[in-house]
């Protein structure tokens, strides 16, 4: 058998020419978004007030299996893709496991994560529609950075509402966005009505993702030529992120490798949904079986301890309702360092797959996650983002299980990004100042009480 | 003609199996290191007190054209190499130039630069010699990070003396080193005699590279089982870095591309020396002609305004003397943000090539450099290190010259690393707080006065 290289790169002409739309193969489609005011499914017209028209089409399309990737987006993808599928030889040796471990590494671009895959697509459609710019929110800053890069490429105005506490604590992220010409506003701000309202009610607040979303949406709908864009959760985002899974599958196929288990971290679901999409398709069509594992922080366990119900996508309760696994939009996640996973809900697609028993989920506490991150960094040479390290933790667990049973399983996980802007968290871990937090049942009951009665 | 892809990756089996030793092809060999006490060439035995034995052999070897890369080092290289040779299609379009621009990107590893190429080699030979650990100094932290990663891989103790002002201003770099298990000590420290001496003479000093070198050397020679390692300047380092040039040449050859101009930033010379080595070899052997351009900061112009003379490699004046272009070891570079280029001297190999008229050199002021960096980041998607941006600046200049003349020259430059840990500098640039500094002739005369009379 051919020797598997350390890194499998596709040729440019082997890169996917179309995104894969897993909804086309799902028997139980994800439930539609509902208008919170009427309880009726959101219409195209309603959605187009907030989102770009072509993205609305993608959001609603659950029948076309493949959607062509426009040439302009493919050209941009070629600047930083294909991303490598790496055989973790050094980790395998360190663990002394018979398992074969692979990871799809999405961190080799300046945004530092997979977020760029959807950012460039959303910016492209905004440009194509003749818009002047887009607005968004960002917490830790990966999404905001990715969108800034994409907007710089298409010469679009980019307005980012960054949670104030992150804006102050992560000046470097903010600075990268400025390098790409974005306007970054700490949220809550006095530039929007909702921002002023919150500031007057809670003077000196550090802000929240929910508030930043509300400000970004208000900014978009109140300025002609602007639309709001979102970096996760939505069907369109998972569609764009399918490029991760398609490349992974093409790379594996090249060497005749068939994975047994595919693992990804799950916050809103953009990475995991993209990584597993084509494999889920095979499973749905009965062509091949795989195990899929979503890993979420124990502090924010939407799949493992949440309810499958209609809920607001934002804590500000201005966005449409989605049917998803959720802890309730009133859930206040503990200050876990994996900012990208601190979301009360989960993509409707992944929620449906999980509810249908097609995917597993488990949790990890953050000290275990950082331990795995450090072990990985030392042997594989990549300093992972705390989010990505959730997947590493479970991949190591599964590889050690193989060591016990003697099985040589093939494990693939998604390494979504790098941790260069997360070193405050690493410092806390090294200094023994990191704590774990698991919400009590009573706390969850309280946040479930914030679920709307609609739907 | 075949379409050139955005990124040319070599296959693993196309990666170099041997380093190229350019000294073997040089008619005028670089002058030997001298013992500052005796003025005589440093002997093997003298050097082995400070450096690993096999590295001393490499340091002195100016006859063997190729030195095999040990299998263990090649395995490590495969974790993050081959690095891509990128066709800068987007930059070309932005500039509207007929020039064809390529860059060899060395930043896709956690150390963020090319430094890892030599770090892993030096750690390997230390391990092979049965040593317990190595010591070194670091300024901005790229070299210290690279060495930490290399030592973690071979389970070697790693002691890094980090210039105190950087230690305090760049806590994130320090934290990455800690993740890789290195012991990082702010310099000057009270753990060495020279450190205590300096602290008593200059209480509260922020330290300097020269002092950190002295501490690292003292630590190494006073502890059995330890040796000192250095990240640039030395012949051995340029030898290891030839992997950059060999890969570049192999990638170009694959598509029949012949560069006209090869550009690199130059501090101690490790990147530029490695990048151009095999091309210089062709030029020396009369096989093909190329233009080579070294770019240095206007604030630290060792090639363009320095003297070709024997000088101390360190400001502490404890290391051997090297014949090189130098501003004098007493030269205090202005606080330019390209910390990796703030060195008073230049590799003996590059100095000799420059003196023989085989290479050009020019300077750039830092505001121009950051302007080029930002322009590059916006179209090519990579946030460059300030050091690397010196090469970008001159590559853009040359491409714009082609636009004027209509020539479709092929330009290759080295993109040594990423700027994720340099965002304080980017912020200053954005805020208009960055100033340029060019030393006066009188200032240089003053630092030339620190040149030793020996040699």
């Amino acid at each position: 058998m051919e020797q598997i290289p350390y890194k499998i790169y596709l040729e440019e002409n082997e890169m996917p020419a179309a995104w894969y739309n897993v909804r086309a193969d799902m028997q139980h489609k994800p439930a539609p978004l509902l208008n919170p005011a009427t309880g009726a499914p959101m219409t195209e017209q309603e959605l187009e007030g907030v989102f770009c028209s072509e993205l609305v089409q993608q959001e609603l399309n659950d029948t076309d299996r493949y959607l062509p990737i426009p040439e302009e987006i493919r050209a941009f993808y070629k600047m930083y893709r294909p991303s490598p599928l790496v055989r973790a030889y050094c980790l395998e040796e360190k663990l002394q496991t018979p398992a074969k471990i692979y990871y799809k590494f999405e961190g080799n671009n300046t945004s530092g994560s997979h977020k760029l895959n959807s950012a460039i697509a959303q910016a492209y459609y905004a440009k194509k529609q003749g818009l002047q710019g887009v607005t968004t929110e960002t917490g830790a800053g990966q999404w905001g950075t990715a969108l800034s890069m994409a907007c710089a490429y298409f010469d679009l105005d980019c307005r980012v509402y960054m949670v104030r506490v992150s804006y102050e604590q992560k000046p470097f992220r903010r600075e990268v966005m400025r390098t790409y010409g974005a306007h970054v506003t700490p949220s809550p701000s006095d530039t929007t009505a909702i921002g002023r309202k919150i500031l007057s009610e809670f003077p000196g607040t550090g802000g929240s993702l929910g508030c930043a979303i509300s400000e970004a949406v208000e900014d978009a709908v109140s300025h002609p030529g602007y639309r709001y864009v979102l970096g996760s959760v939505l069907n369109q985002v998972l569609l764009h992120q399918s490029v991760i899974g398609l490349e992974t599958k093409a790379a594996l196929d090249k060497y005749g490798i068939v994975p047994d288990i595919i693992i990804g971290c799950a916050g809103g679901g953009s990475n995991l949904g993209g990584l597993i999409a084509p494999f889920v398709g095979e499973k749905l069509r009965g062509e091949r079986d795989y195990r899929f594992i979503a890993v979420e922080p124990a502090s924010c366990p939407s799949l493992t301890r949440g309810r499958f119900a209609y809920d607001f996508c934002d804590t500000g309760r201005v966005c449409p309702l989605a049917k998803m696994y959720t802890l309730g939009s009133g859930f206040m996640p503990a200050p876990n360092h994996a900012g990208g996973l601190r979301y009360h809900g989960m993509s409707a697609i992944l929620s449906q797959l999980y509810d249908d028993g097609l995917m597993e989920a488990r949790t990890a506490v953050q000290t275990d996650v950082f331990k795995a991150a450090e072990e990985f960094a030392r042997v594989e040479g990549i300093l992972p983002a705390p989010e990505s390290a959730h997947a590493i933790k479970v991949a190591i667990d599964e590889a050690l299980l193989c060591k016990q049973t003697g099985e040589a399983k093939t494990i693939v996980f998604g390494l979504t990004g790098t941790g260069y802007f997360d070193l405050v968290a690493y410092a806390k871990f090294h200094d023994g100042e990191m704590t774990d937090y698991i919400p009590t049942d009573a706390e969850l009951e309280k946040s479930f009480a914030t679920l709307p009665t609609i739907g």
Side-chain angles (χ1 to χ4, degrees), chain A residues 74-150:
Chain A
R74 293 179 66 194
F76 188 89
Y77 278 172
K78 285 179 191 167
M79 282 208 313
Y80 71 101
R81 311 197 66 81
S83 68
L85 180 71
V86 186
R87 173 74 182 267
Y89 281 118
C90 299
L91 181 61
E92 291 171 18
E93 196 186 310
K94 174 82 191 299
L95 300 175
Q96 292 286 303
T97 174
K100 297 173 192 70
I101 309 174
Y102 294 85
Y103 54 93
K104 179 70 168 167
F105 181 42
E106 292 288 316
N108 270 351
N109 69 76
T110 287
S111 82
S113 81
H114 66 292
K115 294 282 183 184
L116 198 51
N117 302 330
S118 183
I120 192 64
Q122 298 196 45
Y124 167 76
Y125 291 116
K127 186 74 181 177
K128 201 178 156 204
Q129 194 173 330
L131 297 176
Q132 190 180 333
V134 292
T135 72
T136 199
E137 77 293 331
T138 200
Q142 284 188 324
W143 167 247
T145 309
L147 191 67
S148 304
M149 292 175 67

Side-chain angles (χ1 to χ4, degrees), chain A residues 221-283:
Chain A
V221 299
S222 58
H223 289 94
Y226 281 79
R227 290 293 185 284
Y228 168 71
V229 298
L230 185 65
S232 190
V233 184
L234 297 176
N235 298 332
Q236 58 188 267
V237 177
L238 268 73
L239 174 73
H240 305 147
Q241 295 294 358
S242 71
V243 69
I244 305 173
L246 291 164
E247 279 188 12
T248 301
K249 187 153 168 44
L252 292 170
D253 286 350
K254 227 172 153 168
Y255 288 87
I257 304 160
V258 180
D260 297 293
I261 311 174
I262 304 177
I263 301 165
C265 62
S270 69
N271 160 67
L272 180 67
L275 173 66
I276 66 176
F279 302 95
V280 168
E282 288 187 293
K283 187 164 174 166

